[in-house]
Amino acid sequence: MNRPPPDEVSGRRYRAFISYSHADSAAVRWLHRAIETYRLPDRIVGQPTPLGPAPRRLIPLFRDRDELPASGDLGHELRTALSRSLRLIVVCSPKSARSLWVNEEILTFKRMHGEAGVLALILAGDPGATDRGKPEEECFPPALRYRLGPDNELSDVPAHPSAADARREGDGRRGALLKLLAGLAAVPLDQLVQREAQRRVRRAGLLVAGSLAGMAVTGAVAFVAYRQRLVAERESAAARAASSFLVGTFAISNPATENPRTISARSILNSCAYLASMELNYQPEIL
């Protein structure tokens, strides 16, 4: 169990109480973290809402991790946390729809705060499946599907809870999260959607800038490599020309191919100069 001590629960207020089936714990951990790390846009912070001035962050949240006893008694601690919570988030799935624990938390919250503060997040299943003869696919607990009567007991009057649909065919996780955040902050959804769009535009701009910078670096590296290849080719050509020239000079002074009586140092130098002017004319590095 991981929850605040009873004395702390009795003295603090929560932005929301998260009600869920233990089978959905992994998704609830994502939800809890996503809400607590979200920061409202600067232009919204401090503006008046039905829940008071809009805060910077929507914290704290209460998330109970114990299973409810079979008696259905929530106990003093959970009742206190529910009484001090501004909103109730019901994480909906076929498992939570059959959870005595989740159903009792919804009933208790409604009796304390009314219907308006209940927010639903659909993870799986199908809302209203029970009415279509498929109760095994239902994701809304009975306390969520119906309103309370004058006697504070469930009536047969259908309720229409504010639901965010995290399923792929619904809002998707991000869209569902924004809907919940708007409900928790009591601000219009479009204000958060605009902020999300601006964030995406900034992210796209950064990606484009990074891509352009990467292209520039790649282009510079390619240009340097091209210049180095040209230098290497020139040096290779010069080496081949020098080798050919040296071979030619040996041929000039070879007594086997020339008359030894006519070979002199001057004739060799003159022949080398002529050979250099012909073969090394385009190799200034050698000349």
Side-chain angles (χ1 to χ4, degrees):
M1 180 176 64
N2 184 359
R3 59 163 74 117
D7 56 342
E8 185 178 350
V9 170
S10 64
R12 78 188 301 186
R13 294 186 65 83
Y14 297 93
R15 177 57 59 166
F17 184 111
I18 303 177
S19 180
Y20 65 101
S21 166
H22 185 72
D24 299 322
S25 294
V28 172
R29 285 194 295 271
W30 160 78
L31 176 66
H32 195 162
R33 183 170 58 253
I35 294 174
E36 288 201 327
T37 57
Y38 185 83
R39 294 177 181 272
L40 289 173
D42 291 339
R43 66 178 182 277
I44 294 179
V45 176
Q47 77 177 29
T49 76
L51 300 179
R56 169 67 64 184
R57 297 172 63 188
L58 301 170
I59 54 175
L61 304 176
F62 186 95
R63 174 165 63 99
D64 181 59
R65 298 184 183 180
D66 273 355
E67 293 291 347
L68 183 68
S71 65
D73 183 14
L74 289 177
H76 174 73
E77 183 180 339
L78 291 185
R79 289 181 182 278
T80 300
L82 283 165
S83 71
R84 294 185 173 276
S85 297
L86 298 177
R87 291 284 190 261
L88 174 69
I89 299 175
V90 183
V91 179
C92 301
S93 70
K95 292 288 187 181
S96 65
R98 295 188 290 271
S99 170
L100 175 64
W101 176 31
V102 173
N103 199 66
E104 189 64 25
E105 287 176 342
I106 299 170
L107 280 174
T108 301
F109 185 88
K110 282 186 173 183
R111 288 164 180 162
M112 291 176 173
H113 303 287
E115 309 267 354
V118 180
L119 307 174
L121 173 68
I122 302 173
L123 287 183
D126 187 13
T130 299
D131 300 330
R132 295 189 290 273
K134 296 182 178 180
E136 71 282 357
E137 298 180 9
E138 180 63 61
C139 64
F140 282 175
L144 193 61
R145 301 203 320 266
Y146 298 102
R147 294 184 178 275
L148 293 180
D151 57 354
N152 263 350
E153 298 297 329
L154 279 184
S155 69
D156 57 358
V157 179
H160 301 284
S162 175
D165 192 347
R167 297 175 301 175
R168 184 174 299 178
E169 64 271 24
D171 302 311
R173 271 201 171 189
R174 190 64 187 177
L177 176 62
L178 290 176
K179 281 188 175 182
L180 280 183
L181 292 170
L184 291 175
V187 299
L189 174 61
D190 62 346
Q191 293 187 8
L192 301 188
V193 172
Q194 289 175 8
R195 189 267 187 95
E196 183 75 2
Q198 293 170 355
R199 185 182 65 85
R200 290 181 178 178
V201 169
R202 287 195 299 270
R203 179 184 295 178
L206 291 175
L207 288 175
V208 170
S211 298
L212 291 176
M215 291 171 61
V217 171
T218 302
V221 170
F223 177 75
V224 171
Y226 173 72
R227 292 292 301 273
Q228 290 177 342
R229 182 171 65 84
L230 291 179
V231 170
E233 289 177 352
R234 286 199 298 268
E235 291 177 349
S236 178
R240 288 195 299 271
S243 177
S244 176
F245 172 74
L246 291 175
V247 171
T249 58
F250 285 120
I252 291 173
S253 59
N254 187 353
T257 57
E258 296 288 338
N259 188 348
R261 295 179 180 180
T262 60
I263 295 176
S264 66
R266 183 177 181 84
S267 65
I268 291 174
L269 290 175
N270 287 338
S271 297
C272 287
Y274 175 76
L275 186 62
S277 66
M278 295 297 293
E279 295 188 6
L280 304 181
N281 186 43
Y282 298 101
Q283 301 294 340
E285 295 88 349
I286 300 176
L287 293 176

PDB file of all heavy atoms in Angstrom, residues 47-78:
ATOM      1  N   GLN A  47      -6.234  32.369 -14.085  1.00  0.00           N
ATOM      2  CA  GLN A  47      -7.544  32.836 -14.547  1.00  0.00           C
ATOM      3  C   GLN A  47      -8.642  32.166 -13.726  1.00  0.00           C
ATOM      4  O   GLN A  47      -8.501  31.030 -13.286  1.00  0.00           O
ATOM      5  CB  GLN A  47      -7.731  32.574 -16.040  1.00  0.00           C
ATOM      6  CG  GLN A  47      -8.063  31.141 -16.418  1.00  0.00           C
ATOM      7  CD  GLN A  47      -8.300  30.970 -17.904  1.00  0.00           C
ATOM      8  OE1 GLN A  47      -7.753  31.701 -18.731  1.00  0.00           O
ATOM      9  NE2 GLN A  47      -9.104  29.992 -18.276  1.00  0.00           N
ATOM     10  N   PRO A  48      -9.748  32.871 -13.484  1.00  0.00           N
ATOM     11  CA  PRO A  48     -10.810  32.306 -12.638  1.00  0.00           C
ATOM     12  C   PRO A  48     -11.500  31.117 -13.308  1.00  0.00           C
ATOM     13  O   PRO A  48     -11.739  31.115 -14.515  1.00  0.00           O
ATOM     14  CB  PRO A  48     -11.775  33.481 -12.458  1.00  0.00           C
ATOM     15  CG  PRO A  48     -11.504  34.405 -13.610  1.00  0.00           C
ATOM     16  CD  PRO A  48     -10.053  34.237 -13.936  1.00  0.00           C
ATOM     17  N   THR A  49     -11.788  30.088 -12.515  1.00  0.00           N
ATOM     18  CA  THR A  49     -12.515  28.911 -12.982  1.00  0.00           C
ATOM     19  C   THR A  49     -13.526  28.529 -11.901  1.00  0.00           C
ATOM     20  O   THR A  49     -13.454  29.037 -10.778  1.00  0.00           O
ATOM     21  CB  THR A  49     -11.564  27.719 -13.240  1.00  0.00           C
ATOM     22  OG1 THR A  49     -11.178  27.161 -11.972  1.00  0.00           O
ATOM     23  CG2 THR A  49     -10.328  28.147 -14.020  1.00  0.00           C
ATOM     24  N   PRO A  50     -14.445  27.631 -12.201  1.00  0.00           N
ATOM     25  CA  PRO A  50     -15.384  27.171 -11.156  1.00  0.00           C
ATOM     26  C   PRO A  50     -14.692  26.519  -9.966  1.00  0.00           C
ATOM     27  O   PRO A  50     -15.306  26.386  -8.896  1.00  0.00           O
ATOM     28  CB  PRO A  50     -16.258  26.156 -11.909  1.00  0.00           C
ATOM     29  CG  PRO A  50     -16.194  26.584 -13.343  1.00  0.00           C
ATOM     30  CD  PRO A  50     -14.818  27.120 -13.532  1.00  0.00           C
ATOM     31  N   LEU A  51     -13.420  26.118 -10.144  1.00  0.00           N
ATOM     32  CA  LEU A  51     -12.676  25.496  -9.046  1.00  0.00           C
ATOM     33  C   LEU A  51     -11.679  26.462  -8.416  1.00  0.00           C
ATOM     34  O   LEU A  51     -10.807  26.046  -7.658  1.00  0.00           O
ATOM     35  CB  LEU A  51     -11.930  24.259  -9.568  1.00  0.00           C
ATOM     36  CG  LEU A  51     -12.800  23.151 -10.163  1.00  0.00           C
ATOM     37  CD1 LEU A  51     -11.940  22.004 -10.661  1.00  0.00           C
ATOM     38  CD2 LEU A  51     -13.813  22.652  -9.143  1.00  0.00           C
ATOM     39  N   GLY A  52     -11.797  27.751  -8.715  1.00  0.00           N
ATOM     40  CA  GLY A  52     -10.847  28.729  -8.218  1.00  0.00           C
ATOM     41  C   GLY A  52      -9.824  29.089  -9.284  1.00  0.00           C
ATOM     42  O   GLY A  52      -9.904  28.616 -10.431  1.00  0.00           O
ATOM     43  N   PRO A  53      -8.846  29.929  -8.948  1.00  0.00           N
ATOM     44  CA  PRO A  53      -7.823  30.309  -9.932  1.00  0.00           C
ATOM     45  C   PRO A  53      -7.112  29.077 -10.489  1.00  0.00           C
ATOM     46  O   PRO A  53      -6.757  28.163  -9.742  1.00  0.00           O
ATOM     47  CB  PRO A  53      -6.862  31.190  -9.124  1.00  0.00           C
ATOM     48  CG  PRO A  53      -7.675  31.683  -7.967  1.00  0.00           C
ATOM     49  CD  PRO A  53      -8.630  30.580  -7.637  1.00  0.00           C
ATOM     50  N   ALA A  54      -6.904  29.060 -11.792  1.00  0.00           N
ATOM     51  CA  ALA A  54      -6.251  27.917 -12.423  1.00  0.00           C
ATOM     52  C   ALA A  54      -4.822  27.797 -11.911  1.00  0.00           C
ATOM     53  O   ALA A  54      -4.064  28.766 -11.938  1.00  0.00           O
ATOM     54  CB  ALA A  54      -6.255  28.079 -13.940  1.00  0.00           C
ATOM     55  N   PRO A  55      -4.439  26.617 -11.434  1.00  0.00           N
ATOM     56  CA  PRO A  55      -3.076  26.439 -10.894  1.00  0.00           C
ATOM     57  C   PRO A  55      -2.069  26.178 -12.015  1.00  0.00           C
ATOM     58  O   PRO A  55      -2.434  25.945 -13.164  1.00  0.00           O
ATOM     59  CB  PRO A  55      -3.224  25.208 -10.001  1.00  0.00           C
ATOM     60  CG  PRO A  55      -4.262  24.396 -10.707  1.00  0.00           C
ATOM     61  CD  PRO A  55      -5.233  25.391 -11.318  1.00  0.00           C
ATOM     62  N   ARG A  56      -0.801  26.212 -11.659  1.00  0.00           N
ATOM     63  CA  ARG A  56       0.231  25.862 -12.625  1.00  0.00           C
ATOM     64  C   ARG A  56       0.195  24.358 -12.923  1.00  0.00           C
ATOM     65  O   ARG A  56       0.322  23.944 -14.074  1.00  0.00           O
ATOM     66  CB  ARG A  56       1.606  26.245 -12.062  1.00  0.00           C
ATOM     67  CG  ARG A  56       2.800  25.691 -12.851  1.00  0.00           C
ATOM     68  CD  ARG A  56       2.917  26.276 -14.223  1.00  0.00           C
ATOM     69  NE  ARG A  56       3.191  27.702 -14.155  1.00  0.00           N
ATOM     70  CZ  ARG A  56       3.269  28.494 -15.215  1.00  0.00           C
ATOM     71  NH1 ARG A  56       3.069  27.990 -16.428  1.00  0.00           N
ATOM     72  NH2 ARG A  56       3.514  29.773 -15.081  1.00  0.00           N
ATOM     73  N   ARG A  57       0.039  23.549 -11.873  1.00  0.00           N
ATOM     74  CA  ARG A  57       0.017  22.093 -12.030  1.00  0.00           C
ATOM     75  C   ARG A  57      -1.211  21.522 -11.332  1.00  0.00           C
ATOM     76  O   ARG A  57      -1.671  22.065 -10.314  1.00  0.00           O
ATOM     77  CB  ARG A  57       1.297  21.466 -11.469  1.00  0.00           C
ATOM     78  CG  ARG A  57       2.551  21.916 -12.196  1.00  0.00           C
ATOM     79  CD  ARG A  57       3.796  21.438 -11.498  1.00  0.00           C
ATOM     80  NE  ARG A  57       3.873  19.977 -11.488  1.00  0.00           N
ATOM     81  CZ  ARG A  57       4.792  19.300 -10.791  1.00  0.00           C
ATOM     82  NH1 ARG A  57       5.663  19.943 -10.025  1.00  0.00           N
ATOM     83  NH2 ARG A  57       4.817  17.984 -10.849  1.00  0.00           N
ATOM     84  N   LEU A  58      -1.714  20.420 -11.859  1.00  0.00           N
ATOM     85  CA  LEU A  58      -2.948  19.822 -11.360  1.00  0.00           C
ATOM     86  C   LEU A  58      -2.615  18.746 -10.328  1.00  0.00           C
ATOM     87  O   LEU A  58      -2.784  17.537 -10.563  1.00  0.00           O
ATOM     88  CB  LEU A  58      -3.742  19.241 -12.524  1.00  0.00           C
ATOM     89  CG  LEU A  58      -4.121  20.275 -13.599  1.00  0.00           C
ATOM     90  CD1 LEU A  58      -4.678  19.582 -14.834  1.00  0.00           C
ATOM     91  CD2 LEU A  58      -5.123  21.277 -13.042  1.00  0.00           C
ATOM     92  N   ILE A  59      -2.137  19.176  -9.200  1.00  0.00           N
ATOM     93  CA  ILE A  59      -1.715  18.278  -8.133  1.00  0.00           C
ATOM     94  C   ILE A  59      -2.291  18.785  -6.816  1.00  0.00           C
ATOM     95  O   ILE A  59      -2.673  19.956  -6.716  1.00  0.00           O
ATOM     96  CB  ILE A  59      -0.168  18.200  -8.031  1.00  0.00           C
ATOM     97  CG1 ILE A  59       0.415  19.608  -7.883  1.00  0.00           C
ATOM     98  CG2 ILE A  59       0.409  17.518  -9.253  1.00  0.00           C
ATOM     99  CD1 ILE A  59       1.913  19.618  -7.656  1.00  0.00           C
ATOM    100  N   PRO A  60      -2.355  17.869  -5.810  1.00  0.00           N
ATOM    101  CA  PRO A  60      -1.977  16.452  -5.829  1.00  0.00           C
ATOM    102  C   PRO A  60      -3.141  15.568  -6.272  1.00  0.00           C
ATOM    103  O   PRO A  60      -4.292  16.003  -6.333  1.00  0.00           O
ATOM    104  CB  PRO A  60      -1.615  16.178  -4.379  1.00  0.00           C
ATOM    105  CG  PRO A  60      -2.528  17.081  -3.610  1.00  0.00           C
ATOM    106  CD  PRO A  60      -2.668  18.335  -4.447  1.00  0.00           C
ATOM    107  N   LEU A  61      -2.822  14.325  -6.576  1.00  0.00           N
ATOM    108  CA  LEU A  61      -3.822  13.320  -6.914  1.00  0.00           C
ATOM    109  C   LEU A  61      -3.808  12.235  -5.837  1.00  0.00           C
ATOM    110  O   LEU A  61      -2.773  11.970  -5.230  1.00  0.00           O
ATOM    111  CB  LEU A  61      -3.525  12.675  -8.273  1.00  0.00           C
ATOM    112  CG  LEU A  61      -3.386  13.618  -9.470  1.00  0.00           C
ATOM    113  CD1 LEU A  61      -2.989  12.831 -10.709  1.00  0.00           C
ATOM    114  CD2 LEU A  61      -4.675  14.383  -9.722  1.00  0.00           C
ATOM    115  N   PHE A  62      -4.964  11.625  -5.628  1.00  0.00           N
ATOM    116  CA  PHE A  62      -5.041  10.499  -4.690  1.00  0.00           C
ATOM    117  C   PHE A  62      -5.301   9.235  -5.504  1.00  0.00           C
ATOM    118  O   PHE A  62      -6.272   9.154  -6.252  1.00  0.00           O
ATOM    119  CB  PHE A  62      -6.162  10.695  -3.669  1.00  0.00           C
ATOM    120  CG  PHE A  62      -6.182   9.635  -2.598  1.00  0.00           C
ATOM    121  CD1 PHE A  62      -5.541   9.839  -1.385  1.00  0.00           C
ATOM    122  CD2 PHE A  62      -6.844   8.430  -2.807  1.00  0.00           C
ATOM    123  CE1 PHE A  62      -5.551   8.862  -0.393  1.00  0.00           C
ATOM    124  CE2 PHE A  62      -6.858   7.444  -1.827  1.00  0.00           C
ATOM    125  CZ  PHE A  62      -6.214   7.659  -0.619  1.00  0.00           C
ATOM    126  N   ARG A  63      -4.410   8.250  -5.346  1.00  0.00           N
ATOM    127  CA  ARG A  63      -4.560   6.976  -6.049  1.00  0.00           C
ATOM    128  C   ARG A  63      -4.421   5.858  -5.035  1.00  0.00           C
ATOM    129  O   ARG A  63      -3.327   5.587  -4.539  1.00  0.00           O
ATOM    130  CB  ARG A  63      -3.508   6.856  -7.150  1.00  0.00           C
ATOM    131  CG  ARG A  63      -3.491   5.500  -7.839  1.00  0.00           C
ATOM    132  CD  ARG A  63      -2.707   5.545  -9.133  1.00  0.00           C
ATOM    133  NE  ARG A  63      -1.306   5.856  -8.951  1.00  0.00           N
ATOM    134  CZ  ARG A  63      -0.334   4.942  -8.926  1.00  0.00           C
ATOM    135  NH1 ARG A  63      -0.624   3.660  -9.043  1.00  0.00           N
ATOM    136  NH2 ARG A  63       0.917   5.300  -8.784  1.00  0.00           N
ATOM    137  N   ASP A  64      -5.532   5.215  -4.725  1.00  0.00           N
ATOM    138  CA  ASP A  64      -5.506   4.119  -3.763  1.00  0.00           C
ATOM    139  C   ASP A  64      -5.052   2.839  -4.451  1.00  0.00           C
ATOM    140  O   ASP A  64      -5.400   2.592  -5.595  1.00  0.00           O
ATOM    141  CB  ASP A  64      -6.896   3.918  -3.149  1.00  0.00           C
ATOM    142  CG  ASP A  64      -6.897   2.795  -2.138  1.00  0.00           C
ATOM    143  OD1 ASP A  64      -6.126   2.897  -1.170  1.00  0.00           O
ATOM    144  OD2 ASP A  64      -7.639   1.824  -2.331  1.00  0.00           O
ATOM    145  N   ARG A  65      -4.255   2.026  -3.755  1.00  0.00           N
ATOM    146  CA  ARG A  65      -3.717   0.802  -4.361  1.00  0.00           C
ATOM    147  C   ARG A  65      -4.196  -0.471  -3.668  1.00  0.00           C
ATOM    148  O   ARG A  65      -3.730  -1.548  -3.959  1.00  0.00           O
ATOM    149  CB  ARG A  65      -2.181   0.843  -4.332  1.00  0.00           C
ATOM    150  CG  ARG A  65      -1.622   1.995  -5.137  1.00  0.00           C
ATOM    151  CD  ARG A  65      -0.120   1.955  -5.183  1.00  0.00           C
ATOM    152  NE  ARG A  65       0.420   3.110  -5.909  1.00  0.00           N
ATOM    153  CZ  ARG A  65       1.719   3.328  -6.094  1.00  0.00           C
ATOM    154  NH1 ARG A  65       2.602   2.494  -5.612  1.00  0.00           N
ATOM    155  NH2 ARG A  65       2.130   4.379  -6.752  1.00  0.00           N
ATOM    156  N   ASP A  66      -5.117  -0.338  -2.758  1.00  0.00           N
ATOM    157  CA  ASP A  66      -5.625  -1.529  -2.069  1.00  0.00           C
ATOM    158  C   ASP A  66      -6.955  -1.960  -2.675  1.00  0.00           C
ATOM    159  O   ASP A  66      -7.729  -1.141  -3.170  1.00  0.00           O
ATOM    160  CB  ASP A  66      -5.842  -1.241  -0.581  1.00  0.00           C
ATOM    161  CG  ASP A  66      -4.568  -1.479   0.216  1.00  0.00           C
ATOM    162  OD1 ASP A  66      -3.590  -1.947  -0.388  1.00  0.00           O
ATOM    163  OD2 ASP A  66      -4.570  -1.188   1.423  1.00  0.00           O
ATOM    164  N   GLU A  67      -7.224  -3.245  -2.625  1.00  0.00           N
ATOM    165  CA  GLU A  67      -8.527  -3.751  -3.043  1.00  0.00           C
ATOM    166  C   GLU A  67      -9.548  -3.496  -1.929  1.00  0.00           C
ATOM    167  O   GLU A  67      -9.234  -3.532  -0.740  1.00  0.00           O
ATOM    168  CB  GLU A  67      -8.435  -5.255  -3.334  1.00  0.00           C
ATOM    169  CG  GLU A  67      -7.570  -5.600  -4.538  1.00  0.00           C
ATOM    170  CD  GLU A  67      -8.188  -5.171  -5.853  1.00  0.00           C
ATOM    171  OE1 GLU A  67      -9.391  -4.833  -5.853  1.00  0.00           O
ATOM    172  OE2 GLU A  67      -7.475  -5.152  -6.868  1.00  0.00           O
ATOM    173  N   LEU A  68     -10.776  -3.236  -2.344  1.00  0.00           N
ATOM    174  CA  LEU A  68     -11.855  -2.993  -1.388  1.00  0.00           C
ATOM    175  C   LEU A  68     -12.305  -4.316  -0.763  1.00  0.00           C
ATOM    176  O   LEU A  68     -12.460  -5.310  -1.466  1.00  0.00           O
ATOM    177  CB  LEU A  68     -13.036  -2.351  -2.108  1.00  0.00           C
ATOM    178  CG  LEU A  68     -14.240  -1.949  -1.260  1.00  0.00           C
ATOM    179  CD1 LEU A  68     -13.884  -0.801  -0.344  1.00  0.00           C
ATOM    180  CD2 LEU A  68     -15.399  -1.577  -2.163  1.00  0.00           C
ATOM    181  N   PRO A  69     -12.494  -4.369   0.546  1.00  0.00           N
ATOM    182  CA  PRO A  69     -12.999  -5.594   1.159  1.00  0.00           C
ATOM    183  C   PRO A  69     -14.356  -5.979   0.577  1.00  0.00           C
ATOM    184  O   PRO A  69     -15.085  -5.140   0.039  1.00  0.00           O
ATOM    185  CB  PRO A  69     -13.128  -5.215   2.645  1.00  0.00           C
ATOM    186  CG  PRO A  69     -12.190  -4.062   2.817  1.00  0.00           C
ATOM    187  CD  PRO A  69     -12.220  -3.316   1.511  1.00  0.00           C
ATOM    188  N   ALA A  70     -14.684  -7.247   0.686  1.00  0.00           N
ATOM    189  CA  ALA A  70     -15.936  -7.744   0.113  1.00  0.00           C
ATOM    190  C   ALA A  70     -17.160  -7.061   0.712  1.00  0.00           C
ATOM    191  O   ALA A  70     -18.224  -7.023   0.093  1.00  0.00           O
ATOM    192  CB  ALA A  70     -16.030  -9.260   0.308  1.00  0.00           C
ATOM    193  N   SER A  71     -17.023  -6.498   1.901  1.00  0.00           N
ATOM    194  CA  SER A  71     -18.164  -5.830   2.539  1.00  0.00           C
ATOM    195  C   SER A  71     -18.568  -4.562   1.807  1.00  0.00           C
ATOM    196  O   SER A  71     -19.680  -4.073   1.961  1.00  0.00           O
ATOM    197  CB  SER A  71     -17.810  -5.492   3.993  1.00  0.00           C
ATOM    198  OG  SER A  71     -16.748  -4.540   4.018  1.00  0.00           O
ATOM    199  N   GLY A  72     -17.636  -4.013   0.987  1.00  0.00           N
ATOM    200  CA  GLY A  72     -17.949  -2.779   0.271  1.00  0.00           C
ATOM    201  C   GLY A  72     -17.755  -1.535   1.114  1.00  0.00           C
ATOM    202  O   GLY A  72     -18.125  -0.437   0.689  1.00  0.00           O
ATOM    203  N   ASP A  73     -17.189  -1.678   2.301  1.00  0.00           N
ATOM    204  CA  ASP A  73     -16.958  -0.529   3.177  1.00  0.00           C
ATOM    205  C   ASP A  73     -15.653   0.153   2.781  1.00  0.00           C
ATOM    206  O   ASP A  73     -14.579  -0.435   2.898  1.00  0.00           O
ATOM    207  CB  ASP A  73     -16.903  -1.011   4.628  1.00  0.00           C
ATOM    208  CG  ASP A  73     -16.729   0.164   5.584  1.00  0.00           C
ATOM    209  OD1 ASP A  73     -16.919   1.316   5.128  1.00  0.00           O
ATOM    210  OD2 ASP A  73     -16.402  -0.076   6.746  1.00  0.00           O
ATOM    211  N   LEU A  74     -15.734   1.396   2.340  1.00  0.00           N
ATOM    212  CA  LEU A  74     -14.541   2.119   1.899  1.00  0.00           C
ATOM    213  C   LEU A  74     -13.612   2.437   3.059  1.00  0.00           C
ATOM    214  O   LEU A  74     -12.401   2.534   2.885  1.00  0.00           O
ATOM    215  CB  LEU A  74     -14.936   3.419   1.198  1.00  0.00           C
ATOM    216  CG  LEU A  74     -15.590   3.282  -0.181  1.00  0.00           C
ATOM    217  CD1 LEU A  74     -15.987   4.650  -0.702  1.00  0.00           C
ATOM    218  CD2 LEU A  74     -14.655   2.609  -1.160  1.00  0.00           C
ATOM    219  N   GLY A  75     -14.148   2.650   4.209  1.00  0.00           N
ATOM    220  CA  GLY A  75     -13.310   3.010   5.339  1.00  0.00           C
ATOM    221  C   GLY A  75     -13.150   4.523   5.454  1.00  0.00           C
ATOM    222  O   GLY A  75     -13.363   5.280   4.504  1.00  0.00           O
ATOM    223  N   HIS A  76     -12.759   4.946   6.642  1.00  0.00           N
ATOM    224  CA  HIS A  76     -12.674   6.380   6.933  1.00  0.00           C
ATOM    225  C   HIS A  76     -11.663   7.100   6.046  1.00  0.00           C
ATOM    226  O   HIS A  76     -11.918   8.206   5.570  1.00  0.00           O
ATOM    227  CB  HIS A  76     -12.308   6.573   8.415  1.00  0.00           C
ATOM    228  CG  HIS A  76     -12.053   8.001   8.779  1.00  0.00           C
ATOM    229  ND1 HIS A  76     -13.056   8.935   8.882  1.00  0.00           N
ATOM    230  CD2 HIS A  76     -10.874   8.661   9.045  1.00  0.00           C
ATOM    231  CE1 HIS A  76     -12.531  10.112   9.200  1.00  0.00           C
ATOM    232  NE2 HIS A  76     -11.215   9.968   9.305  1.00  0.00           N
ATOM    233  N   GLU A  77     -10.530   6.460   5.810  1.00  0.00           N
ATOM    234  CA  GLU A  77      -9.465   7.126   5.060  1.00  0.00           C
ATOM    235  C   GLU A  77      -9.899   7.446   3.629  1.00  0.00           C
ATOM    236  O   GLU A  77      -9.724   8.571   3.145  1.00  0.00           O
ATOM    237  CB  GLU A  77      -8.216   6.244   5.042  1.00  0.00           C
ATOM    238  CG  GLU A  77      -7.025   6.887   4.328  1.00  0.00           C
ATOM    239  CD  GLU A  77      -5.822   5.964   4.332  1.00  0.00           C
ATOM    240  OE1 GLU A  77      -5.758   5.061   5.184  1.00  0.00           O
ATOM    241  OE2 GLU A  77      -4.952   6.162   3.465  1.00  0.00           O
ATOM    242  N   LEU A  78     -10.472   6.460   2.935  1.00  0.00           N
ATOM    243  CA  LEU A  78     -10.895   6.691   1.555  1.00  0.00           C
ATOM    244  C   LEU A  78     -12.064   7.667   1.493  1.00  0.00           C
ATOM    245  O   LEU A  78     -12.137   8.500   0.579  1.00  0.00           O
ATOM    246  CB  LEU A  78     -11.270   5.367   0.888  1.00  0.00           C
ATOM    247  CG  LEU A  78     -10.122   4.401   0.611  1.00  0.00           C
ATOM    248  CD1 LEU A  78     -10.620   3.185  -0.151  1.00  0.00           C
ATOM    249  CD2 LEU A  78      -9.012   5.085  -0.176  1.00  0.00           C
TER     250      LEU A  78
END
